[in-house]
Amino acid sequence: MKKKAKDIFFSTYLKCLKKQIKERPKHPVKNSKLIAVEFKGSKFKHLNGATFQGRCKIYKNIKKKVSGYSFVHNNEMCVPHSNIGVMNFSDGHTYNGGWKDGGFFGDGSYNNPELGEYYGMWSNGMMNGWGEMKYNNGNMYKGEFKNSKWKGLGTLKTNKGKIYRGYFK
């Protein structure tokens, strides 16, 4: 790869990193506490049996509408919101990373046993920014993501050893 192409990839990575650091939640968050909880009787089937450990915003009004994950614990509405929190879903999926208002945010890793593992930047609960996805079939993509899809500069290395670099849509 030519020096100019490497510079473009690196400068794009730095731009994504600066944006992510700027948007990171400030801590300590007012009205928050450290919580470890197991979901039981959730209206979302995929959360039944899931566990969460991390800091949450606490609301006395348990009917508050939240766009991300939330749960009731000790008669309070708890919304994950911290630089680090771990969610182990009952179907084997795991997320370890930042949270903002109940959604995956900042740096984080997500392991999907059927698909593979992603490590990178998150925003609004979706892969947004620079990241790396290692698929179980041996393929690997490193580059920009937008709404959990490859979008922008990136490199795809297939399990057959072929390498594709460029702008993905």
Side-chain angles (χ1 to χ4, degrees):
M1 188 191 300
K2 294 181 181 178
K3 184 175 179 8
K4 186 176 181 180
K6 282 185 181 179
D7 290 345
I8 291 171
F9 272 67
F10 188 67
S11 65
T12 303
Y13 165 75
L14 288 178
K15 180 180 79 174
C16 290
L17 187 62
K18 284 178 186 174
K19 181 180 178 198
Q20 183 264 332
I21 289 171
K22 185 177 159 186
E23 294 176 350
R24 186 174 282 167
K26 307 289 186 270
H27 290 285
V29 175
K30 189 177 178 182
N31 297 330
S32 75
K33 62 177 148 181
L34 188 61
I35 290 181
V37 69
E38 180 177 349
F39 294 88
K40 294 177 182 173
S42 172
K43 63 181 178 180
F44 302 108
K45 280 187 174 178
H46 71 283
L47 284 182
N48 285 326
T51 60
F52 173 78
Q53 188 169 13
R55 290 197 80 77
C56 292
K57 283 184 182 178
I58 305 298
Y59 298 97
K60 300 297 179 190
N61 178 3
I62 63 172
K63 296 183 191 251
K64 179 174 175 59
K65 297 257 187 211
V66 177
S67 60
Y69 293 103
S70 64
F71 52 92
V72 175
H73 180 68
N74 293 338
N75 227 13
E76 298 173 320
M77 173 67 81
C78 302
V79 180
H81 190 87
S82 67
N83 286 333
I84 189 72
V86 179
M87 177 80 89
N88 293 307
F89 295 88
S90 56
D91 59 4
H93 294 225
T94 58
Y95 174 75
N96 185 347
W99 292 80
K100 184 175 179 183
D101 296 324
F104 306 159
F105 188 84
D107 290 335
S109 64
Y110 189 88
N111 187 3
N112 177 333
E114 296 89 40
L115 188 61
E117 188 169 358
Y118 170 81
Y119 177 78
M121 297 173 193
W122 295 82
S123 181
N124 300 322
M126 302 184 92
M127 296 180 268
N128 280 307
W130 198 266
E132 183 176 316
M133 183 74 187
K134 293 179 182 176
Y135 294 91
N136 291 341
N137 67 3
N139 292 345
M140 185 180 83
Y141 173 79
K142 185 185 276 189
E144 290 182 277
F145 286 80
K146 178 76 173 172
N147 297 327
S148 296
K149 296 181 180 172
W150 306 348
K151 185 155 186 190
L153 289 174
T155 301
L156 172 64
K157 183 176 181 183
T158 70
N159 55 10
K160 307 260 191 250
K162 292 187 178 186
I163 297 174
Y164 301 93
R165 288 188 180 101
Y167 190 86
F168 289 82
K169 286 186 178 182

